[in-house]
Amino acid sequence: FVAFYILQYYITVILKFASVGKSCLLLQFTDKRFQPVHDLTIGVEFGARMITIDGKQIKLQIWDTAGQESFRSITRSYYRGAAGALLVYDITRRDTFNHLTTWLEDARQHSNSNMVIMLIGNKSDLESRREVKKEEGEAFAREHGLIFMETSAKTASNVEEAFINTAKEIYEKIQEGVFDINNEANGIKIGPQHAATNSSLAGGQGGQQAGGGCC
Amino acid sequence: MSQNENSPSDPGKNMEGQDPKMPSSSTQGDSSADIESDKSTDVAPICKTRRRPESKPPPEFHEAADTRSPAEHASEAATQMTTAQGGWGYWGNWGKSLLSTATATVATVGQGLSQVIEKAETSLGIPSSEDLAAQVEEEEKADGQSGSEADKGERDSYAVGGAMGMFSSLSSVVQNTGKTVISGGLDALEFIGKKTMDVIAEGDPGFKKTKGLMSRTSTLSQVLREAKEHEEQQTANVTLETEKKAHYGVLFDEFQGLSHLEALEILSRESEAKVKSVLTTLSGEELAQLREELDRIREAFSLMEFDEEEEVDEVKEDDGENFVNGLTDALKKLHISSTAERLGKARKNAFDRITDMKLPTEEQSSVQDAEVTRCTIEDAHMSAITSLAELTARSIEQFHKVAEMLLHSSSGEVTALEQAKVLSQITIVLCKEITLLSKKFTACLTTIGSNENREVLNPLITGVFLEASNSASYIQDAFQLLIPVLEVSLIQRTAASGQ
C-alpha cells in the first residue's frame, strides 16, 4: 500500500497504493539500506518518503502489507482506498510468480478500478538462481495492463524507479482527471487548498484552517 | 486572533454545560457559551480577568479563599494540577469533547496552541502554569520531608476549591457523575480546555457548523490529519521561526501514528459491518445470546470502570520496568503474539530525553545559577511534545497490531470478554504513562525556564498538558475502535467451536 502526499502550493493530495510483501524494497526506498533478515510482516507496516515529481513535493506513504496467505483477509481490507500498488514476486522462486494471478485478482477486486499497479520482479541481483525470465514478467504485465520492472532491494537497482514511476503514473492520472481527488475512496486526500500566494498570509492564525480541505 | 476571542463568558456557566461523562453534551455548553460571548465581545479581557477571583466560591470554601494570597492559590492549584493523576479517564472525556468540534480540534492539536492558550490564560486569570509547576517541585520536596502526603492532598484540594471558586461548580458536576477519583487539578485542566474551546469558538465562524464532528462523517484520523496538514502548511508559510516549534500532529504522523490509526479504523469499520450482517442472519435464541455476549464485551470497554482500578499504584512513578513488564504480562494474557517492545522503546526514549534535560539542572541546584542549563525551554518543549507524540503513536500501533492479530487468529485459550478486560487494562497503563510523562516534562520545563519570561514559558507548559490530555484521548478512542474487532473475533470463535 502506498499513500501519496502531494504538497503543491499547500495543496495536499494523498494517494495510496498497495504493495505485496517485500519489506526490503520499502526499507531500501525509505532508508536507503538493505536488511536481509526481516521480521514477518504482521498485517501491514508503514514507510514514508518525500519525492519530487514535476517540481512538486510529494510524500509517499507506503503500506507494506503482509505477504502471508493467512493475512489475506486482513490485507484485503487495506486495498480499498489505494491509488497504486506494487505487486512483487521473487525472480528466484517460480511459485511466487505463479501466485501472481490470484493476488492480482484479489487486489483488483478489493480496490478502486483506477489503481495503478506495477509488477516488480525482485532479487535481480541473484541472476544465477533466476527461475523466472524477465520476458515472462514482461508478458504477464502486458497481458494484465501493468507496468513492469525488475529490481534488487539488495543493490538498490531500480528501487527508486519502481516507486517513483508508480507515483508518476498516479500523478499523471490525477492530471488527466481520472482520479476523483475529492473522493477519499480513491486514496487521494486533499489538504487545505490555499493559493500559492498564501505565503503572504500571516501563518495560519487560529480559525483559518482546513476550510476547503477534505470532503 | 482578534480581541473578541479574549472575552470569556461566565466560567461557571460553561462548566455547568459540560458534563464530563458525555463528550457530546459539550455541544449544549458551547452553544450557551456562544450566546454569552456574543454579548460580551466588547468587554475588555482584563476586566473579566480581574473579576475572576470574585466569582463566588461555595460557602464552605470561603475561609480558605479569604486568607490566602493569590500566589498561594495559584501554587496550590498547580500542585493539584500536576500531581493529580487519578482521573485520566476524565481527561479522555475532556479530550473527546475537544474532538467533538472539528475546527477547534484542528486549532488545538499542536498548532496555534500557544496563542490560543495564552489568550485563554490571560482571559481566565488561571494561575500561570509556571507557578503551578514550580510549586509542584517544591511540594514534592516538602512532601518528602513531612511525609504527610495524604493530609496535604486533602488540604490542597480544599484550597483549590477556595481559591478557584469557579471550579466548584465543575467539581459538583463531577461528583454527580459518580466519579470519585477526579481531583481539582484535572478540573483546572478541564477548565482551561473548555475555555480554550470558547476562545477558539469565538474566533472561528465555522465552529458551530462543525460541532458534531465525531459523528459518522468524520474519524479521528481525519481530524488528526487535518491538524497535521494545517501544521505543515503553517510551517511552510512562516519560515524559520515556526520551524522550531513542536507540532504534535506532524510528529505523530512521522511516528506513523496516523497510518496505524487509519488502518485500525479500516479494520474497525469492516468488523462493524460484519457484526451487523451476522446479526441480521440470526434470530431467536441465537440472536439473543449473541447480543448478550456482545453487550458484555462493550461493557468491558466502558471507561467508567477504569477509575476504580486506577488509584492503586500511583505511588511508584519512575519504574520503566514496571511499564514494560505490565504491558508484556497483559499482552500475554491476550494470547496473541504481540510484544510491548516498541512501546517500551518509546517510553525509554521519552525518559532518556528527560534525563538529558535534568542533568544540567541538578548540577545547577548546587551552583544556583541557571546559566549552566544546556537546554532551552523550546528544546524541552520539543522533547515533551515529541515524546507524547511518539508514545501515543506507538500505543495506537499496538492497538492496531492487536486488532490484526485478533482477526488473524482466534485463540481458544481465552475468551473475548477476558481479552476486552485486558485491553482496558492496557489502556489504563498507557494513559497513566502519558500523564506521568506530562508531569515530568512540565517539571523540567519549569526548572529550565525559571529565569524565562512567563509569557513564553506558560503557553509551553500548558501546551504540554493539553497535548498530554489529547494523547490520552486518542489512545482511548483507538481502544474503542477495538470493540467491533473483538466482536468479530468472538463470532469467529463461536462459529469455530460450533463446528
Side-chain angles (χ1 to χ4, degrees):
Chain A
F1 247 99
V2 178
F4 287 68
Y5 206 98
I6 299 177
L7 288 164
Q8 177 199 356
Y9 305 131
Y10 319 114
I11 293 173
T12 323
V13 182
I14 297 177
L15 323 166
K16 275 186 197 168
F17 63 92
S19 97
V20 179
K22 297 300 156 264
S23 307
C24 302
L25 269 182
L26 177 58
L27 193 68
Q28 182 58 259
F29 180 65
T30 56
D31 290 21
K32 296 201 162 57
R33 65 194 168 94
F34 179 67
Q35 185 184 319
V37 184
H38 265 277
D39 291 345
L40 193 72
T41 307
I42 294 169
V44 63
E45 288 297 337
F46 306 98
R49 202 186 119 185
M50 294 296 289
I51 60 165
T52 307
I53 293 176
D54 205 7
K56 278 146 200 159
Q57 280 226 301
I58 297 171
K59 183 174 167 191
L60 297 183
Q61 179 76 39
I62 299 145
W63 294 41
D64 174 18
T65 54
Q68 260 189 315
E69 193 69 23
S70 62
F71 280 107
R72 271 271 277 289
S73 70
I74 296 172
T75 52
R76 227 176 245 157
S77 316
Y78 299 135
Y79 293 150
R80 198 162 301 135
L86 271 74
L87 188 50
V88 185
Y89 68 93
D90 180 346
I91 64 156
T92 68
R93 286 175 54 195
R94 176 152 296 274
D95 60 327
T96 64
F97 184 74
N98 293 343
H99 269 104
L100 283 179
T101 323
T102 350
W103 280 102
L104 184 63
E105 273 170 16
D106 215 37
R108 285 246 161 96
Q109 202 182 333
H110 293 92
S111 71
N112 150 2
S113 56
N114 291 314
M115 184 164 85
V116 174
I117 303 177
M118 173 169 274
L119 183 64
I120 302 285
N122 194 34
K123 306 199 185 176
S124 62
D125 54 299
L126 301 175
E127 193 54 51
S128 57
R129 286 163 51 192
R130 182 190 279 276
E131 286 183 10
V132 183
K133 279 188 222 141
K134 194 176 180 184
E135 292 72 31
E136 292 177 83
E138 281 166 351
F140 185 92
R142 232 184 353 260
E143 190 184 326
H144 294 91
L146 315 175
I147 325 164
F148 176 70
M149 208 171 253
E150 279 194 354
T151 60
S152 164
K154 192 173 177 183
T155 67
S157 152
N158 269 347
V159 174
E160 292 267 317
E161 290 80 354
F163 284 98
I164 290 174
N165 287 353
T166 314
K168 277 184 182 155
E169 193 83 4
I170 295 166
Y171 181 78
E172 276 161 28
K173 281 202 176 187
I174 294 173
Q175 301 294 311
E176 291 161 15
V178 175
F179 280 115
D180 175 10
I181 53 173
N182 291 315
N183 183 354
E184 271 195 36
N186 290 336
I188 303 157
K189 291 167 194 169
I190 311 171
Q193 293 193 37
H194 292 280
T197 51
N198 244 14
S199 45
S200 62
L201 265 179
Q205 294 282 318
Q208 255 277 358
Q209 73 282 19
C214 296
C215 21
Chain B
M1 300 264 155
S2 75
Q3 263 223 336
N4 309 356
E5 289 155 21
N6 277 337
S7 71
S9 42
D10 179 5
K13 272 257 160 81
N14 290 329
M15 288 182 299
E16 275 156 18
Q18 182 146 8
D19 179 348
K21 264 171 85 180
M22 296 161 46
S24 60
S25 75
S26 66
T27 314
Q28 289 177 338
D30 290 333
S31 50
S32 74
D34 288 344
I35 296 162
E36 289 253 336
S37 44
D38 285 344
K39 286 184 212 152
S40 59
T41 31
D42 293 326
V43 182
I46 282 291
C47 301
K48 289 284 188 180
T49 308
R50 298 241 168 89
R51 207 182 296 164
R52 196 266 317 160
E54 291 160 28
S55 71
K56 288 184 189 112
E60 67 262 39
F61 292 140
H62 255 302
E63 229 177 51
D66 290 341
T67 51
R68 281 158 189 267
S69 75
E72 269 174 322
H73 296 158
S75 49
E76 301 276 7
T79 313
Q80 284 293 309
M81 178 183 278
T82 25
T83 51
Q85 348 175 11
W88 63 265
Y90 187 52
W91 281 38
N93 288 322
W94 166 55
K96 270 181 212 153
S97 64
L98 278 188
L99 284 174
S100 67
T101 44
T103 47
T105 308
V106 174
T108 309
V109 182
Q111 69 80 26
L113 186 62
S114 346
Q115 298 119 309
V116 171
I117 298 304
E118 209 167 0
K119 294 286 185 193
E121 274 180 346
T122 32
S123 60
L124 286 173
I126 293 259
S128 85
S129 19
E130 187 196 24
D131 276 354
L132 302 182
Q135 185 66 17
V136 172
E137 293 241 310
E138 282 168 37
E139 289 282 341
E140 273 171 3
K141 277 179 217 150
D143 282 355
Q145 284 157 8
S146 71
S148 59
E149 281 168 62
D151 282 7
K152 205 168 183 79
E154 210 167 76
R155 186 165 57 79
D156 284 350
S157 64
Y158 275 118
V160 170
M164 318 206 141
M166 59 189 174
F167 289 154
S168 57
S169 59
L170 183 60
S171 325
S172 68
V173 173
V174 171
Q175 273 155 19
N176 290 339
T177 63
K179 291 206 174 205
T180 49
V181 201
I182 293 139
S183 56
L186 290 165
D187 297 346
L189 252 187
E190 165 101 7
F191 182 74
I192 294 173
K194 186 63 186 64
K195 287 310 296 180
T196 308
M197 299 292 295
D198 293 341
V199 171
I200 296 164
E202 283 157 29
D204 181 0
F207 181 79
K208 282 172 203 161
K209 269 193 211 160
T210 45
K211 261 180 199 163
L213 174 80
M214 287 309 282
S215 60
R216 295 287 110 183
T217 51
S218 193
T219 60
L220 180 58
S221 68
Q222 277 172 337
V223 173
L224 281 165
R225 181 176 298 286
E226 277 177 33
K228 185 206 70 171
E229 276 158 10
H230 187 75
E231 287 168 6
E232 279 175 347
Q233 189 192 340
Q234 237 193 339
T235 317
N237 274 342
V238 187
T239 46
L240 293 166
E241 214 178 311
T242 32
E243 259 162 29
K244 276 214 78 180
K245 264 195 193 164
H247 288 308
Y248 182 92
V250 172
L251 289 163
F252 181 73
D253 185 45
E254 270 170 27
F255 289 115
Q256 302 294 356
L258 210 45
S259 301
H260 281 289
L261 184 58
E262 264 187 274
L264 176 57
E265 281 170 349
I266 291 172
L267 295 179
S268 185
R269 244 187 341 259
E270 297 215 337
S271 298
E272 207 176 345
K274 252 183 223 168
V275 172
K276 267 187 198 144
S277 76
V278 168
L279 284 173
T280 57
T281 61
L282 295 178
S283 61
E285 219 163 273
E286 262 186 324
L287 180 64
Q289 201 195 333
L290 180 60
R291 274 195 193 282
E292 200 184 309
E293 283 180 83
L294 296 182
D295 282 349
R296 249 180 270 143
I297 288 180
R298 283 183 179 269
E299 253 168 56
F301 272 84
S302 103
L303 289 172
M304 296 306 290
E305 284 180 26
F306 290 6
D307 305 300
E308 292 163 36
E309 300 167 53
E310 224 258 322
E311 282 170 294
V312 196
D313 53 312
E314 277 174 17
V315 200
K316 338 171 193 160
E317 284 197 347
D318 289 45
D319 219 344
E321 293 272 303
N322 271 359
F323 175 71
V324 177
N325 291 344
L327 283 176
T328 309
D329 287 350
L331 286 169
K332 257 186 215 151
K333 285 189 219 156
L334 290 177
H335 288 275
I336 53 174
S337 59
S338 180
T339 71
E341 205 181 305
R342 283 168 64 81
L343 267 169
K345 209 179 154 212
R347 188 204 180 273
K348 190 176 172 299
N349 288 344
F351 278 78
D352 285 351
R353 288 183 197 116
I354 293 173
T355 319
D356 286 349
M357 283 191 287
K358 270 199 173 157
L359 283 178
T361 57
E362 267 156 20
E363 291 161 19
Q364 210 184 105
S365 59
S366 54
V367 184
Q368 228 204 16
D369 193 67
E371 282 172 347
V372 202
T373 313
R374 272 186 264 144
C375 124
T376 67
I377 50 168
E378 282 81 13
D379 291 341
H381 179 250
M382 184 67 174
S383 293
I385 301 298
T386 308
S387 301
L388 288 172
E390 183 176 7
L391 193 62
T392 309
R394 292 291 158 260
S395 300
I396 285 165
E397 172 173 357
Q398 189 79 56
F399 283 143
H400 172 216
K401 288 292 136 193
V402 166
E404 287 180 333
M405 292 310 293
L406 283 172
L407 293 172
H408 178 248
S409 53
S410 36
S411 157
E413 294 164 71
V414 62
T415 67
L417 184 59
E418 279 166 295
Q419 285 176 324
K421 285 176 185 163
V422 173
L423 285 168
S424 62
Q425 264 170 26
I426 291 176
T427 311
I428 293 170
V429 173
L430 293 174
C431 291
K432 261 191 190 172
E433 208 59 28
I434 293 281
T435 312
L436 179 65
L437 266 188
S438 69
K439 280 168 53 193
K440 296 229 170 239
F441 273 111
T442 45
C444 280
L445 264 171
T446 314
T447 324
I448 294 166
S450 51
N451 289 350
E452 293 279 341
N453 186 347
R454 291 187 173 196
E455 279 167 29
V456 183
L457 183 61
N458 292 355
L460 294 182
I461 289 176
T462 319
V464 173
F465 278 127
L466 273 178
E467 295 300 8
S469 171
N470 286 337
S471 295
S473 115
Y474 303 149
I475 291 172
Q476 288 169 48
D477 285 348
F479 164 64
Q480 296 294 322
L481 288 172
L482 289 171
I483 295 177
V485 175
L486 254 180
E487 289 178 338
V488 164
S489 176
L490 171 93
I491 292 169
Q492 280 174 355
R493 265 175 266 190
T494 319
S497 66
Q499 289 164 3

